[in-house]
Amino acid sequence: MSSTAGLKSRIPSLFALREWQLTLPLALFLGLFYLAPLLLMAVVSVSQQGVSGISFASYVQFLSDPTNLKILFDTIWMGTQVTLLCLLIGYPLAYVYSRANAGWQKVLTFLILLPLLTSAVVRTFAWIVILGREGIVNSALLGLGLAENPIRLLFTHQGVVIALAQVQLPMMVLPLVSAMTRVDLNLEYASASLGAGAWQTFRKIALPLSLPGITAGCLLTYALSVSSFVTPSIIGGSSILYMPTFIYQQAMVLVNWPLAAAVSIILLITVLTIVIAFNSLDRVSRRYQ
Amino acid sequence: MSDRFIQRMSRRTVLGAGLFLGTSWALKSCTAATAPSGTTQANSSSEPNAGGATGGQVVTASFPGTTENLFRDKLAPLFSQTGKGQLSVVPLLAFEQVARLKAAPDNPPFDVVFLDDGQTDIAMKAGLIQPFPADRSSGFSNVDSSFLGKQGLAPIFYMQGVVIGYNPERVKTPPKAWEALLDSNLDGRLGLVSMNSVLGTSFMVEMAKLKGGSESDIEPAFAALKQILSKVGGVAANPGALSTLFQQGEVDVAPMWHNDVLSLKAKGIPVEWVVPESGMIAARYSLNLVSKPKSGVDAAAAYVETALGKEAQSILSASPYYFVPSDKTVQLDAAITEKIGAKTSTEFIQKANVLDWATINQQRSTWIERFNKEVKV
């Protein structure tokens, strides 16, 4: 009897994990399959084919070539443009969602999530049909008499930005919706009752309180855009190079793994810099909470 | 007894045991993934080329698109009928296959690679592929001697020719020679393919040769390319993407594979082709056994043997593939014969230019990088 009671008292203490211990499986998983390959990549990036010892030749090679720097700049610029475009389109949509009734919210949820149910490859090929010389955009422009000749959208930087914005839009809208639906509407009613106009209420209440959603959405969209491979490759063709395509070429076509690893690390540092910047913005937004 | 056992179990013991079990399971899964079910694991004995037992699953690399369909729809059932194994197809471009073999030479992701002459040369020099056991093959007798592999490698599996494809609805004056693509009066948008591909490199080298260059001197081709950049409608990442551009009306004229043109034509796309006056460029491809095939040499060789057999070779030439098989006894499709005037593979190769890929390989990486930087449409 006493031994059974002892057993019962030990079982809870055996399995009573502290909260932080619940993260152990994920930490182990990330350590094995994310951090370890990343460290390996960092090691490869400071190696040189056929030469022993540490060498930063690959970093120097990349950063000393103006063409390569242009590829890096184009990638950052493309990511920024896609993020801003997604924010411009996604913010009003999320705003409408947060104020819609339950029925409309269901419809909007379906519309927001619909693109995620289709592969990015399929959506990108659809953009070839839309942006092509004989595509929907050009047919409409020519049909309406707004252009005399088809405008060039495919194989352009602008084409990549447009297609990628559509592909990444749910990544912007979902955090925005999450942040906006948590805002207490009574704050806005109070603002209005105290004499603030619609614009002032939006600027001083709605916008600051939605900042966590904006930072999370921008972060997701930016990181996914600068690291995307399929859409820039298909819509941009072989004549527009971004960092992921450059890394692929160095690793798979030219089998120059040190340079590919160095460029990957440079891209990672670039993205991390933006993440830190957004986190600073997030800290500012918390002052309003 | 059981109570005492539980009392001795600390949290650390449970976590340690869990970690051990998890790691064992993960390692076992990794091994299982490289040795598919039904396959006897490759023999990792001191014999480097021995491989393992026969049977099981043979993993073959293939180019994406038409070739992948051919391997899946035709070669896999044919190989299955031999009772020597099942075929699993991994679609990858030639340079991707070589890169993956280089990344894991002792644990290759496939048993058989499918490479063009240039990449075969690279793989052979890097020791990634091994000679084909010709003494076990009956298909060799029908292969033209010029298609037999170098240094005992497997023979050529099929060939393709680079021709000029054009849209007859838009290009009113059909081009007759490669130089016509440089003509500013040519009424059509030019399509190109990146030099990553055999098609793209073949076109650039041929252009260089016509302008006084050679396999080792591509400078004239880059100079010529600068003059026509304004006419280039798009640079596709690979030949498959070029076909899509043709289909979408993005480009009207391009260096293309003869069989891609025929496939597009069969789908009702307005496209025609001409063999340039200087002759078409031929590209040759072979299936070769990797140095350490997991399925074993016998099973991998049996699959290559199936591909070289009469039935498979006959399928290659027919619609919808239109490849040129290496079996000299197989009659080429009428659509090929009509344009090229060749009835067999032997006649085909006599009418084509074969490039010196050993020389090209020495500078190809530099050319690819240069092409990617200079060709900004």
Coordinates of all heavy atoms in Angstrom, one line a residue, chain A residues 39-111:
Chain A
L39 N 26.3 26.0 -39.6 CA 27.7 26.0 -39.2 C 28.6 25.4 -40.2 O 29.7 25.9 -40.5 CB 27.9 25.3 -37.8 CG 27.4 26.1 -36.6 CD1 27.5 25.2 -35.4 CD2 28.2 27.3 -36.4
L40 N 28.2 24.3 -40.8 CA 28.9 23.6 -41.8 C 29.1 24.5 -43.0 O 30.2 24.6 -43.6 CB 28.2 22.3 -42.2 CG 28.9 21.3 -43.1 CD1 30.1 20.8 -42.3 CD2 28.0 20.2 -43.6
M41 N 28.0 25.3 -43.3 CA 28.1 26.2 -44.5 C 29.1 27.3 -44.2 O 29.9 27.7 -45.1 CB 26.7 26.8 -44.7 CG 26.6 27.5 -46.0 SD 24.9 27.9 -46.4 CE 24.5 29.1 -45.2
A42 N 29.1 27.8 -42.9 CA 30.0 28.8 -42.6 C 31.5 28.3 -42.7 O 32.4 29.1 -43.1 CB 29.8 29.3 -41.1
V43 N 31.7 27.1 -42.3 CA 33.0 26.5 -42.4 C 33.4 26.4 -43.9 O 34.6 26.8 -44.3 CB 33.1 25.1 -41.8 CG1 34.4 24.4 -42.1 CG2 32.9 25.2 -40.3
V44 N 32.5 25.9 -44.7 CA 32.8 25.8 -46.2 C 33.1 27.2 -46.8 O 34.0 27.3 -47.7 CB 31.6 25.1 -46.9 CG1 31.8 25.1 -48.4 CG2 31.4 23.7 -46.5
S45 N 32.4 28.2 -46.3 CA 32.6 29.5 -46.9 C 34.0 30.1 -46.7 O 34.4 31.0 -47.4 CB 31.5 30.5 -46.4 OG 31.8 30.9 -45.0
V46 N 34.6 29.6 -45.6 CA 36.0 30.1 -45.3 C 37.1 29.1 -45.8 O 38.2 29.1 -45.3 CB 36.2 30.5 -43.9 CG1 35.4 31.8 -43.5 CG2 35.8 29.4 -42.9
S47 N 36.6 28.2 -46.6 CA 37.6 27.2 -47.2 C 37.9 27.6 -48.6 O 37.2 28.4 -49.2 CB 37.1 25.8 -47.1 OG 36.0 25.7 -47.9
Q48 N 38.9 27.0 -49.2 CA 39.2 27.3 -50.6 C 39.5 26.0 -51.2 O 40.2 25.1 -50.6 CB 40.4 28.2 -50.7 CG 40.4 29.1 -51.8 CD 41.6 30.1 -51.9 OE1 42.3 30.2 -50.9 NE2 41.7 30.8 -53.0
Q49 N 39.0 25.8 -52.5 CA 39.2 24.5 -53.1 C 40.7 24.2 -53.3 O 41.4 24.9 -53.9 CB 38.4 24.5 -54.5 CG 36.9 24.3 -54.3 CD 36.1 24.5 -55.5 OE1 36.5 25.2 -56.4 NE2 34.9 23.9 -55.6
G50 N 41.1 23.0 -52.8 CA 42.4 22.6 -53.0 C 43.5 23.2 -52.1 O 44.7 23.0 -52.2
V51 N 43.0 24.1 -51.1 CA 43.9 24.8 -50.2 C 43.5 24.5 -48.8 O 42.3 24.7 -48.5 CB 44.0 26.3 -50.5 CG1 45.0 27.0 -49.6 CG2 44.3 26.6 -52.0
S52 N 44.4 24.2 -47.9 CA 44.0 24.0 -46.5 C 44.1 25.3 -45.7 O 44.7 26.3 -46.2 CB 45.0 23.0 -45.9 OG 46.3 23.4 -45.9
G53 N 43.4 25.3 -44.6 CA 43.4 26.5 -43.8 C 42.2 27.5 -44.1 O 41.4 27.2 -45.0
I54 N 42.1 28.5 -43.3 CA 41.0 29.4 -43.4 C 41.3 30.5 -44.4 O 42.4 31.0 -44.5 CB 40.7 30.1 -42.0 CG1 40.1 29.0 -41.1 CG2 39.7 31.3 -42.2 CD1 39.8 29.6 -39.7
S55 N 40.3 30.8 -45.3 CA 40.5 31.8 -46.3 C 39.2 32.6 -46.5 O 38.1 32.0 -46.6 CB 40.9 31.1 -47.6 OG 40.8 32.0 -48.7
F56 N 39.4 33.9 -46.6 CA 38.2 34.7 -46.9 C 38.1 35.1 -48.4 O 37.4 36.1 -48.7 CB 38.2 35.9 -46.0 CG 38.0 35.6 -44.5 CD1 39.0 35.3 -43.6 CD2 36.7 35.4 -44.0 CE1 38.8 35.0 -42.3 CE2 36.4 35.1 -42.7 CZ 37.5 34.8 -41.9
A57 N 38.8 34.3 -49.2 CA 38.9 34.7 -50.6 C 37.5 34.7 -51.3 O 37.3 35.6 -52.1 CB 39.8 33.6 -51.3
S58 N 36.6 33.8 -50.9 CA 35.3 33.8 -51.5 C 34.5 35.1 -51.2 O 33.8 35.6 -52.1 CB 34.5 32.6 -51.0 OG 35.2 31.4 -51.4
Y59 N 34.6 35.6 -49.9 CA 34.0 36.8 -49.5 C 34.5 38.0 -50.3 O 33.8 38.8 -50.8 CB 34.1 37.1 -48.0 CG 33.3 36.1 -47.2 CD1 33.9 34.9 -46.7 CD2 32.0 36.4 -46.9 CE1 33.1 34.0 -45.9 CE2 31.2 35.5 -46.1 CZ 31.8 34.3 -45.6 OH 31.1 33.5 -44.9
V60 N 35.9 38.0 -50.4 CA 36.5 39.1 -51.1 C 36.1 39.0 -52.6 O 35.8 40.1 -53.2 CB 38.1 39.0 -51.0 CG1 38.8 40.0 -51.9 CG2 38.5 39.1 -49.5
Q61 N 36.1 37.8 -53.2 CA 35.8 37.7 -54.6 C 34.4 38.2 -54.9 O 34.1 38.9 -55.9 CB 35.8 36.2 -55.0 CG 35.6 35.9 -56.4 CD 35.5 34.4 -56.7 OE1 35.8 33.6 -55.9 NE2 34.9 34.1 -57.9
F62 N 33.4 37.9 -54.0 CA 32.0 38.4 -54.2 C 31.9 39.9 -54.0 O 31.4 40.6 -54.8 CB 31.1 37.7 -53.2 CG 29.6 38.1 -53.4 CD1 28.9 37.5 -54.4 CD2 29.1 39.1 -52.6 CE1 27.5 38.0 -54.6 CE2 27.8 39.5 -52.8 CZ 27.0 38.9 -53.8
L63 N 32.5 40.4 -52.9 CA 32.3 41.8 -52.5 C 33.1 42.7 -53.4 O 32.8 43.9 -53.4 CB 32.6 42.0 -51.1 CG 31.6 41.3 -50.1 CD1 32.1 41.3 -48.7 CD2 30.2 41.8 -50.2
S64 N 34.2 42.2 -54.1 CA 35.0 43.1 -54.9 C 34.5 43.2 -56.3 O 35.1 44.0 -57.1 CB 36.4 42.6 -54.9 OG 36.5 41.3 -55.4
D65 N 33.5 42.5 -56.7 CA 33.0 42.5 -58.1 C 31.7 43.4 -58.1 O 30.7 43.1 -57.5 CB 32.7 41.1 -58.5 CG 32.3 41.0 -60.0 OD1 31.9 42.1 -60.5 OD2 32.5 40.0 -60.6
P66 N 31.8 44.5 -58.8 CA 30.6 45.4 -58.9 C 29.3 44.7 -59.4 O 28.2 45.0 -58.9 CB 31.0 46.5 -59.9 CG 32.5 46.4 -60.0 CD 32.9 45.0 -59.7
T67 N 29.5 43.7 -60.3 CA 28.3 43.0 -60.8 C 27.6 42.2 -59.7 O 26.4 42.2 -59.6 CB 28.7 42.0 -61.9 OG1 29.6 42.7 -62.8 CG2 27.5 41.5 -62.7
N68 N 28.5 41.6 -58.8 CA 27.9 40.9 -57.7 C 27.2 41.8 -56.7 O 26.2 41.4 -56.2 CB 29.0 40.1 -57.0 CG 29.6 39.0 -57.9 OD1 29.0 38.6 -58.9 ND2 30.8 38.5 -57.5
L69 N 27.8 42.9 -56.5 CA 27.2 43.9 -55.6 C 25.9 44.4 -56.1 O 24.9 44.6 -55.3 CB 28.1 45.1 -55.3 CG 29.4 44.8 -54.5 CD1 30.3 46.0 -54.4 CD2 29.1 44.2 -53.2
K70 N 25.8 44.5 -57.4 CA 24.5 44.9 -58.0 C 23.4 43.8 -57.8 O 22.3 44.1 -57.6 CB 24.7 45.2 -59.5 CG 23.5 45.8 -60.2 CD 23.6 46.1 -61.6 CE 22.4 46.7 -62.2 NZ 21.2 45.9 -62.0
I71 N 23.9 42.5 -57.9 CA 23.0 41.4 -57.6 C 22.4 41.5 -56.2 O 21.2 41.4 -56.0 CB 23.6 40.1 -57.9 CG1 24.0 39.9 -59.4 CG2 22.8 38.9 -57.4 CD1 24.9 38.7 -59.7
L72 N 23.3 41.8 -55.3 CA 22.9 42.0 -53.9 C 22.0 43.1 -53.7 O 20.9 43.0 -53.0 CB 24.2 42.2 -53.0 CG 24.0 42.4 -51.5 CD1 23.3 41.2 -50.9 CD2 25.3 42.7 -50.8
F73 N 22.3 44.3 -54.3 CA 21.5 45.4 -54.2 C 20.1 45.2 -54.8 O 19.0 45.5 -54.3 CB 22.1 46.6 -54.9 CG 21.2 47.8 -55.0 CD1 21.1 48.7 -53.8 CD2 20.6 48.2 -56.1 CE1 20.2 49.7 -53.9 CE2 19.7 49.3 -56.2 CZ 19.5 50.1 -55.1
D74 N 20.1 44.5 -56.0 CA 18.8 44.2 -56.7 C 17.9 43.4 -55.8 O 16.7 43.5 -55.8 CB 19.1 43.5 -58.0 CG 19.6 44.4 -59.1 OD1 19.5 45.7 -58.9 OD2 20.0 44.0 -60.2
T75 N 18.6 42.4 -55.1 CA 17.8 41.5 -54.3 C 17.2 42.2 -53.1 O 16.0 42.0 -52.8 CB 18.7 40.4 -53.7 OG1 19.5 39.8 -54.8 CG2 18.0 39.3 -53.1
I76 N 18.0 43.1 -52.5 CA 17.4 43.9 -51.4 C 16.3 44.8 -51.8 O 15.3 44.9 -51.2 CB 18.6 44.7 -50.7 CG1 19.6 43.7 -50.1 CG2 18.0 45.6 -49.6 CD1 20.9 44.4 -49.6
W77 N 16.5 45.4 -53.0 CA 15.6 46.4 -53.5 C 14.3 45.6 -53.9 O 13.2 46.1 -53.6 CB 16.2 47.1 -54.7 CG 15.3 48.1 -55.4 CD1 15.1 48.3 -56.7 CD2 14.5 49.2 -54.8 NE1 14.3 49.3 -57.0 CE2 13.9 49.9 -55.8 CE3 14.3 49.6 -53.4 CZ2 13.0 51.0 -55.6 CZ3 13.5 50.6 -53.2 CH2 12.8 51.3 -54.2
M78 N 14.4 44.5 -54.5 CA 13.3 43.6 -54.9 C 12.5 43.3 -53.6 O 11.3 43.4 -53.6 CB 13.7 42.4 -55.6 CG 12.7 41.4 -56.1 SD 12.4 40.1 -54.9 CE 13.8 39.1 -55.2
G79 N 13.2 42.8 -52.6 CA 12.5 42.4 -51.3 C 11.8 43.6 -50.7 O 10.6 43.5 -50.2
T80 N 12.4 44.8 -50.8 CA 11.8 46.0 -50.2 C 10.5 46.3 -51.0 O 9.5 46.6 -50.4 CB 12.8 47.2 -50.2 OG1 14.0 46.7 -49.7 CG2 12.3 48.4 -49.5
Q81 N 10.6 46.3 -52.3 CA 9.5 46.7 -53.1 C 8.3 45.7 -52.9 O 7.2 46.1 -52.8 CB 9.9 46.7 -54.6 CG 10.7 47.9 -55.0 CD 11.1 47.8 -56.5 OE1 11.7 46.9 -56.9 NE2 10.7 48.8 -57.2
V82 N 8.6 44.4 -52.9 CA 7.6 43.4 -52.7 C 6.9 43.6 -51.3 O 5.7 43.6 -51.2 CB 8.2 42.0 -52.8 CG1 7.1 40.9 -52.3 CG2 8.6 41.7 -54.2
T83 N 7.7 43.9 -50.3 CA 7.2 44.1 -48.9 C 6.3 45.3 -48.9 O 5.1 45.3 -48.4 CB 8.3 44.3 -47.9 OG1 9.2 43.2 -48.1 CG2 7.8 44.3 -46.5
L84 N 6.7 46.4 -49.5 CA 5.9 47.7 -49.5 C 4.6 47.4 -50.3 O 3.5 47.9 -49.9 CB 6.7 48.8 -50.1 CG 7.8 49.3 -49.3 CD1 8.6 50.4 -50.0 CD2 7.3 49.9 -47.9
L85 N 4.7 46.7 -51.5 CA 3.5 46.5 -52.3 C 2.5 45.6 -51.5 O 1.3 45.9 -51.5 CB 3.9 45.8 -53.6 CG 2.9 45.7 -54.7 CD1 2.3 47.0 -55.1 CD2 3.4 45.0 -55.9
C86 N 3.0 44.6 -50.8 CA 2.2 43.7 -50.0 C 1.5 44.5 -48.9 O 0.3 44.3 -48.6 CB 3.0 42.6 -49.4 SG 3.4 41.3 -50.6
L87 N 2.3 45.4 -48.3 CA 1.7 46.2 -47.2 C 0.6 47.1 -47.7 O -0.4 47.3 -47.1 CB 2.8 47.0 -46.5 CG 2.5 47.8 -45.3 CD1 2.0 46.9 -44.2 CD2 3.7 48.6 -44.8
L88 N 0.9 47.7 -48.9 CA -0.1 48.6 -49.5 C -1.4 47.9 -49.8 O -2.5 48.5 -49.6 CB 0.6 49.2 -50.8 CG 0.0 50.5 -51.3 CD1 0.4 51.7 -50.3 CD2 0.6 50.8 -52.7
I89 N -1.3 46.7 -50.3 CA -2.5 46.0 -50.7 C -3.1 45.3 -49.5 O -4.3 45.2 -49.3 CB -2.2 44.9 -51.8 CG1 -1.5 45.6 -53.0 CG2 -3.4 44.2 -52.2 CD1 -0.9 44.6 -54.0
G90 N -2.2 44.7 -48.6 CA -2.6 43.9 -47.5 C -3.3 44.7 -46.4 O -4.2 44.2 -45.7
Y91 N -2.8 45.9 -46.1 CA -3.3 46.6 -44.9 C -4.8 46.9 -45.0 O -5.5 46.6 -44.1 CB -2.4 47.9 -44.7 CG -2.6 48.5 -43.3 CD1 -1.8 48.1 -42.3 CD2 -3.7 49.4 -43.1 CE1 -2.0 48.6 -41.0 CE2 -3.9 49.9 -41.8 CZ -3.0 49.5 -40.8 OH -3.2 50.0 -39.5
P92 N -5.2 47.5 -46.2 CA -6.7 47.8 -46.3 C -7.5 46.5 -46.1 O -8.6 46.5 -45.5 CB -6.8 48.4 -47.6 CG -5.5 48.9 -48.0 CD -4.5 48.0 -47.3
L93 N -7.0 45.5 -46.7 CA -7.7 44.2 -46.7 C -7.9 43.7 -45.2 O -9.0 43.3 -44.8 CB -7.0 43.1 -47.5 CG -7.5 41.7 -47.6 CD1 -8.9 41.7 -48.1 CD2 -6.6 40.8 -48.4
A94 N -6.7 43.8 -44.5 CA -6.8 43.3 -43.1 C -7.7 44.2 -42.3 O -8.4 43.8 -41.4 CB -5.4 43.3 -42.5
Y95 N -7.7 45.5 -42.6 CA -8.5 46.5 -41.9 C -10.0 46.2 -42.1 O -10.8 46.2 -41.2 CB -8.1 47.9 -42.4 CG -8.7 49.1 -41.6 CD1 -8.1 49.5 -40.5 CD2 -9.9 49.7 -42.0 CE1 -8.6 50.5 -39.7 CE2 -10.4 50.7 -41.2 CZ -9.8 51.2 -40.1 OH -10.3 52.2 -39.3
V96 N -10.3 45.9 -43.4 CA -11.7 45.6 -43.7 C -12.1 44.3 -43.0 O -13.2 44.2 -42.4 CB -11.9 45.4 -45.2 CG1 -13.2 44.8 -45.6 CG2 -11.7 46.8 -45.9
Y97 N -11.2 43.3 -42.9 CA -11.5 42.1 -42.3 C -11.8 42.3 -40.8 O -12.7 41.7 -40.3 CB -10.2 41.1 -42.4 CG -10.4 39.8 -41.8 CD1 -10.8 38.7 -42.5 CD2 -10.1 39.6 -40.4 CE1 -10.9 37.4 -42.0 CE2 -10.3 38.4 -39.8 CZ -10.7 37.3 -40.6 OH -10.9 36.1 -40.0
S98 N -10.9 43.1 -40.1 CA -11.1 43.2 -38.7 C -12.4 43.9 -38.3 O -12.9 43.8 -37.2 CB -9.9 44.0 -38.1 OG -9.9 45.3 -38.6
R99 N -13.0 44.6 -39.3 CA -14.3 45.3 -39.0 C -15.5 44.6 -39.6 O -16.6 45.1 -39.5 CB -14.1 46.8 -39.5 CG -13.5 47.6 -38.4 CD -12.6 48.7 -39.0 NE -11.9 49.4 -37.9 CZ -10.8 49.0 -37.3 NH1 -10.2 47.8 -37.7 NH2 -10.2 49.7 -36.4
A100 N -15.2 43.5 -40.3 CA -16.4 42.9 -41.0 C -17.1 42.0 -40.0 O -16.6 41.6 -39.0 CB -15.8 42.0 -42.2
N101 N -18.4 41.6 -40.4 CA -19.1 40.7 -39.5 C -18.6 39.3 -39.7 O -17.8 39.0 -40.6 CB -20.6 40.8 -39.7 CG -21.0 40.5 -41.1 OD1 -20.4 39.6 -41.7 ND2 -22.0 41.2 -41.6
A102 N -19.1 38.3 -38.9 CA -18.5 37.0 -38.9 C -18.7 36.3 -40.3 O -17.8 35.6 -40.7 CB -19.2 36.1 -37.8
G103 N -19.8 36.6 -40.9 CA -20.1 36.0 -42.2 C -19.0 36.4 -43.3 O -18.4 35.6 -44.0
W104 N -18.8 37.7 -43.3 CA -17.9 38.2 -44.3 C -16.4 37.8 -43.9 O -15.6 37.7 -44.8 CB -18.0 39.8 -44.3 CG -19.0 40.2 -45.3 CD1 -20.2 40.8 -45.0 CD2 -19.0 40.1 -46.7 NE1 -20.9 41.0 -46.1 CE2 -20.2 40.6 -47.2 CE3 -18.0 39.6 -47.6 CZ2 -20.5 40.7 -48.6 CZ3 -18.3 39.7 -49.0 CH2 -19.5 40.2 -49.5
Q105 N -16.2 37.7 -42.6 CA -14.8 37.3 -42.2 C -14.5 35.9 -42.8 O -13.4 35.6 -43.2 CB -14.7 37.3 -40.7 CG -14.5 38.7 -40.2 CD -14.1 38.7 -38.7 OE1 -14.3 37.8 -38.0 NE2 -13.6 39.8 -38.2
K106 N -15.6 35.0 -42.8 CA -15.4 33.7 -43.3 C -15.0 33.7 -44.8 O -14.1 33.0 -45.3 CB -16.6 32.8 -43.1 CG -16.8 32.2 -41.7 CD -18.0 31.4 -41.6 CE -18.2 31.0 -40.2 NZ -19.5 30.4 -40.0
V107 N -15.7 34.6 -45.5 CA -15.5 34.7 -47.0 C -14.1 35.2 -47.2 O -13.3 34.7 -48.0 CB -16.5 35.7 -47.6 CG1 -16.2 35.9 -49.1 CG2 -17.9 35.1 -47.5
L108 N -13.7 36.3 -46.4 CA -12.4 36.9 -46.6 C -11.3 35.9 -46.2 O -10.2 35.9 -46.8 CB -12.3 38.2 -45.7 CG -13.1 39.4 -46.3 CD1 -13.1 40.5 -45.3 CD2 -12.5 39.9 -47.6
T109 N -11.5 35.2 -45.1 CA -10.5 34.2 -44.7 C -10.2 33.2 -45.9 O -9.1 32.9 -46.2 CB -11.0 33.4 -43.5 OG1 -11.3 34.3 -42.5 CG2 -9.9 32.4 -43.0
F110 N -11.3 32.7 -46.5 CA -11.2 31.8 -47.6 C -10.4 32.5 -48.7 O -9.5 31.9 -49.3 CB -12.6 31.4 -48.1 CG -12.5 30.5 -49.3 CD1 -12.1 29.2 -49.2 CD2 -12.9 31.0 -50.6 CE1 -12.0 28.4 -50.3 CE2 -12.8 30.2 -51.7 CZ -12.4 28.9 -51.6
L111 N -10.7 33.7 -49.0 CA -10.0 34.4 -50.1 C -8.5 34.7 -49.8 O -7.7 34.6 -50.7 CB -10.7 35.8 -50.4 CG -12.0 35.7 -51.1 CD1 -12.7 37.1 -51.2 CD2 -12.0 35.0 -52.5

